[in-house]
Each structure stands twice: as structure tokens, then as C-alpha cells.
Amino acid sequence: MSQFQLSMDPHDDVNHNVVNHNVVNHNVVNHNDDDEENDIENPGDLDFKEEERWGSMSERNMSSMKMPLLRKRTNTTSQIAVVGANSCPIESLDYEMIENDLFKQDWRSRKRVQIFQYVFLKWGLALLIGLATGLVGFFNNIAVENISGFKLLLTNKLMLEGSFFKAFLAFAGCNITFAAAAGVLCAYIAPAAAGSGIPEVKAYLNGVDAPSILAPSTLFVKIFGSVFGVSAGFVVGKEGPMVHTGACIANLLGQGGSRKYGLTWNWLRYFKNDRDRRDLITCGAAAGVAAAFRAPVGGVLFALEEAASWWRSALLWRTFFTTAVVAIVLRGFIQYCWTGKCGLFGQGGLIMYDVSKEVSSYGGYDILAVIFLGVVGGVLGAFYNYLIDKVLRTYSIINEKGPSFRVLLVIVISVLTTCCAFGLPWLAKCTPCPIDAGSKCPTVGEIGHYKRFQCPPGYYNDLASLFLTTNDDAIRNLFSNAIIREFQMSSLFIFFVAIYFLGIITYGIAVPAGLFIPVILGGSVYGRIVGRVFHSLSVLDTGLFSLLGAASFLGGTMRMTVSLCVILLELTNNLLLLPLVMIVLLISKTVADCFNHGVYDQILKLKGLPYLEAHAEAYMKHLVAGDAVSGPLVTFSGVERVETVVHALQSTGHNGFPVINEPPFSDTPELCGLVLRSHLLVLLKAKYFSHDSRLSGRDIRKKFSPFDFAKPGTGKGLKLEDITITEEEMNMYIDLHPITNASPYTVLETMSLAKAKILFRQIGLRHMCVVPKSQGRSPIVGILTRHDFMPEHILGLYPHMRQHK
């Protein structure tokens, strides 16, 4: 084995850059010179050439990639990403239909009953995902309302008694305890549960498989960590984590349970493939949004616009059915809780900011105010994303030091948040209760608009009314039209600055944290400020300006339009605001796009997740598919020696190998197809060998079932270390034809790289074979994988292409 082989990362997902001296080296593209194609004819000269080329490539790539989150990676490709706080190897998912002899015979032999069972199970799983996600959403809300309610009632009681220091100790003690609990769960049990989880779900649906992002342990920590994190008073929401939770539930059901935890269901064997799991996880993501916002249509549109990379009408129906089930489940439990049997959980909790009673008429000055809000939201949203990027890079240095440092960071941020929430209201002046107050003033015990805090009887502290309450109730207060001037402008400015920056420094710590609520909260504050400024000219209620401010900030940070518009309308129950919400979202997104990308796209890039965009970069039009292929290539013959297969699996981490038929099995060398590593391991474990080189795969149906080759769940894959092969068996032969995908997607080496990338992404491939244009050469030039289309890789090979970006 050459030194070049040893330098490769064992988790490499691409099928090139490795020399296997037991196979024939075919003509490949050498990128030592930028645009020249050189055929490697002499394997003896290969080691030195490849070693020299790889060294220069590594230096160029390392200089072009400066990512603090990935600075400890051992290679310069996109096969390592940050999951939670750890750098982990990642692989691509395979959404292609495998068409080998075994699977084709299985589909031909299926009866109508089995096909009906498969279709029925699809809808049955959609029903189960909706039920489970609805139940989890209800549990999250009732838990947060009761835990936070207990903490706030205790603090308020001590404040009324004049025991200010005891009130602070109780408030801080509860916050730090809940924060530490969430941090310990995230840091020690499931680091992948930190953050919102939407970028990870988005990457998975794009075809990226990272360890533990959808594991049962992640689901457990996501649920309870989110409850503790929100109850601790952090400026976070439970809405983003609900998307991740729904995806985890769908994955748990779709993979047939969890063998590690003794939860397995054989009747779900039909779904042991990436394609069906992708559809289920899309339903789970939509169900998470529906459970978080009580917005079933918004959940479908969120999955369509933001989460899913592939969409079709059949998936639309199932997703809509799933979110409808979620809405029914939530509605049933909410009605039950209105009877007062859910503790402190009343009509609040599940976010529903009803502003349908507010006046929605508007004139010319209102349109100008809306345009101004859109511009402000775009600028603030872009700056918000910029600061989050810097904070995440800084936190990565702390997170790399170990779980204890992650928990310590959580506690530090909790102390800071607690001091702001309890200390800043002391800066506000006590305001006399309004004579026409629609609710009790000051509020005693129960939730309300007027918190007394340190004020004497008959007065209230407007800043405490925003800080010393749940985030959901603070948003309700800001959206309300019953209070117009009850919040002083100085208090609104203080609250906005605090929420804006607390939301930034909180995202990135080791707790499940959603961005929706901090953004809605911050946007509603400056929306109310703008409403107060335009109050003498506008006919819109101040509460509606808060809603439009929230929409502008959401558009500026997340860069979504259609789904956000529908979610906000379902949240507020006011269809008359549709034109204004559409305008403010379009303006804020357009303005923010002038500065940077959406927050989820930035996080994807920071974590190193190789997300494929729907469009090709401009410089890809100047390259062809053959330019992105590196060689030499590892190939197998149709009937191959066991030793050759084992050696290739040991020396590479590739997951796909071209199979080439050569004489006497064909007149000339021809591409037979592509065989997967996982399928080779199944054959090796079963010792499906023969003593001589001959076709022996006709009786494979008698020895194997198609489900033997089905993809296992998370962490259950067969490994080469689990297989013992004797010296005698090494000299035997193995027929690869029955398990070879005989119809892999192929492109000519002269196809533009931009066109190849769009094809690769739209079909959802893991491997794309590049074949020569001329006859008389090897039947395959190389293989393109997700890594080969990433800008870091291409610009590392061709630095001069940066001028075409």
C-alpha cells in the first residue's frame, strides 16, 4: 500500500484518490495540471505522482478553508462535520432505487396484499407520527407552563412580601437548576440535541447522514432538555426543537424501532431504505411545526419551502394528513385543559396570539410604515445572523474542551440572563395603573399585563411585565391592543436590546434552543416602537405593528416567505393582514439577502454539513464532469477474488465500487454497474464464495432475502471487523453480479459540471458514474459524489476559478 493510501481519512465517502494494486488501473483524470487530462499508464510511477499531487492539493485546500468549527479535522474534504460539539465522520444517504437481480426479483414476486400493506403502512405511519408529535407538543407546553408558572409565582410572592433578596435567590436558584439539568442532558447524553436541530434535519433531507442526529437518545434529550431550557428563562423557544423532535419520532418509527433499546418491529421492514425514511422524516418535520405553532398548513409549507430538498404530490398529501392529525390532537387536549385540570396551563401555552378583534384597516401612511419595518427588519436580521456566526465560532473553542466546560458555559449564560431579567426592571419607573385597564392592575399571582415588582400598591413595573413572565406571554402582551401606552418607550428600548443580544449569546450553548421565539419577541418589540412613532398618522393598532415587526425580523433572519406568512396568519387568526405581512416579508428578505445568507444556511456551513443547493455555482459552467474526478479508481471484476474485495474494504472507506466485466465474461471491458459496501459485507459474512472464477449468483434467492440487504437503523451497520475470513477463503471467488446495481446514473465526462450537479441533486444520488466519450478506453473514468460538488473541493483543485464566483 502506498503512503498516499495511508494519508486518507478512513471515513471518506468518495470512491477515488486511493490506489488498490490488486485491481487494474484504468484511465483517469489527473488534476496536477489544472485543465489537462493525462492518462496514467504506469502503475509503478503512481505512488510518487499521487503523493506529490495530494500534497499540493492539501496545501491549497487548507489555505482556502478557515473554519474554526472544523479546524481540527484531519482532511480537507467535506466528510467531517460538527454534530453537537464533536467533529464526526458523515456519509451520504442513497435515495436512488437499487436495481440489482435480487431486488428486481423481489418486486416482481410481490403480491397485491404485500403492496397494499406497504401503502397502508405509509399512511399508518403518518398517523402515528402525527399522534406522537402532537402528544409531545402538548407535554412540552404543559410542562413549561407549570414549571415556569411555579417559579414566577414564587418570585412574585416573595416580591410582594418585600423580600427582594429572597425573591432573587429563588428566581436565580430555579433558573440555574433547570439550566444545569438541560446542560447536563445535552453535554453528556446527546450532544446532537443542542441547538434548534432544524439545520441538521434540513441536511438529512438533503442527503447528509451524521451520527446520532435522529437517535432515540437525541429525541429524549430534545424533549426534556427543551422543557428545562425554556423553563430556565433562557431567551430560546421550543419551536425549533419541536421540528427536530418530530423528525426523530419519524425516524424511530420508520427504521423499525431501536434494537439497542429493545424496541423493534419487523412489520416495518419495508421502510428500511433511505427513500422511505426521507418521506417519513419530512412528515415529522412538518408535524413539529404544526405542534409548535398550531399551524398545520404552515407546517406543510415549512417542510416544502425550508426543510425538504425533494418534493412530490404524494408526499404533500401525507404531510398534510400528518399535520391535520397533530391539529386534532392538540385541539382535543387544549379543550380538556380549559376545564382547569392542567395546573397552571390555561388558554396560553400553545402559541396562539389571537389579534382577530383588532382593527385591520390601513392607509397610505401605514404602507410607508410597513416598508420602513421591512427595511429595519432586514438590516437587524442580517446583523443578527452575523453575530450568531461569530458567537458560534467562539463557543466552539469552549465546547471542544469537554462536557464539563459546556455545562459551565450554560450556567454562566443562565446567571447572566437571570441578572438581566431580575435587574433591568429596577431601571424602570413605577407607572400608575390605568383607570380603564381591561385586566386587574397590578397583577397579583396570575398571569397579566401589569406586574407590580417593587412598586407600591396601585402602580406597576412595565419592564417587569415583559421580563418576569414566559416568552409566550410577553409576546401576547406586545401583540395586545388593550394596552397602547402602558409600555414606556425607554422600557421597550431596554427590553429590545436585552432580548436581541441575549438571544444571540444563548444560541450555541449546550441546550435545545429554538430561534423562532427570540426573533418573534425581538421583532414585536421594535414593531411596537415603530407603531408608537407612527401612532398619530396610522390607523393600525399598535399591537398589529408588533406583529408586522415580528414578521420583518423573521424574514430578515430566516429568509422564508410563504411558510412564515401562513404560520403568522394561523398564529394570529387575522387574514385581513395578509397583504401587509406579504409585503414586509418580501422587503425584509430582499434587504437581508444583500448582506449574508439565512441563519440556518450559515449554521449548515459552520458545522461543515455538505448541503447541496438547488442551483450550481457560476464557475461550474467553466468545468466539465471529468475535471472534478480524481483518480485512480478502485474497481472490481464481475467475479472477483475474496482477497481483493477484503483488501479494498480495509484500505478505503468508500461506499460504492464500479464493477467491470472483462473477458471471458464479456468480449470487451464493459461497465456492469455499481456495488455498495454494505452489500459486499453481507456476502462476505455469509461466505457466499466459490472455488473457481465462474458465475454462481443464480441461486442467490435461495440463500438471501432482499431484507438481508436492507439498510439497518442508526449504528447497527455490519462492519468488516465483525467478519472472520480464513486464509483459504481469501483465495476463493465471489460473484458480484446479483448485488450489482446494473443501472447506475452515468454522465459523459464532457458534461458541464453545473449540469451534472443539478442532476445529482435533483435525483438524490450518492454516486454518479462518469463514463468516457470516446471508445477504446476504460468503461468508467471515475465517480462523482457529494464531496466533488462542494465549493471547497472544486476551488481547491482550481483556485483560479474564484474569479468566476
Side-chain angles (χ1 to χ4, degrees), residues 68-81:
L69 295 187
L70 299 176
R71 67 185 189 279
K72 288 189 175 181
R73 51 200 292 176
T74 57
N75 66 347
T76 58
T77 66
S78 54
Q79 293 113 35
I80 295 179

Side-chain angles (χ1 to χ4, degrees), residues 769-792:
C769 298
V770 180
V771 296
K773 185 176 181 180
S774 58
Q775 301 292 328
R777 297 170 57 189
S778 166
I780 183 169
V781 174
I783 288 182
L784 291 176
T785 66
R786 176 178 297 267
H787 153 74
D788 297 301
F789 294 106
M790 301 309 296
E792 295 85 359

Side-chain angles (χ1 to χ4, degrees), residues 122 225 273 301 309 362 365 396 422 465 534 674 688 715 721 723:
K122 278 187 175 181
N273 61 81
L301 293 177
S309 296
Y362 43 88
Y365 287 109
S396 68
F422 196 89
S465 301
F534 283 86
L674 198 73
Y688 188 71
E721 293 77 11
I723 302 172

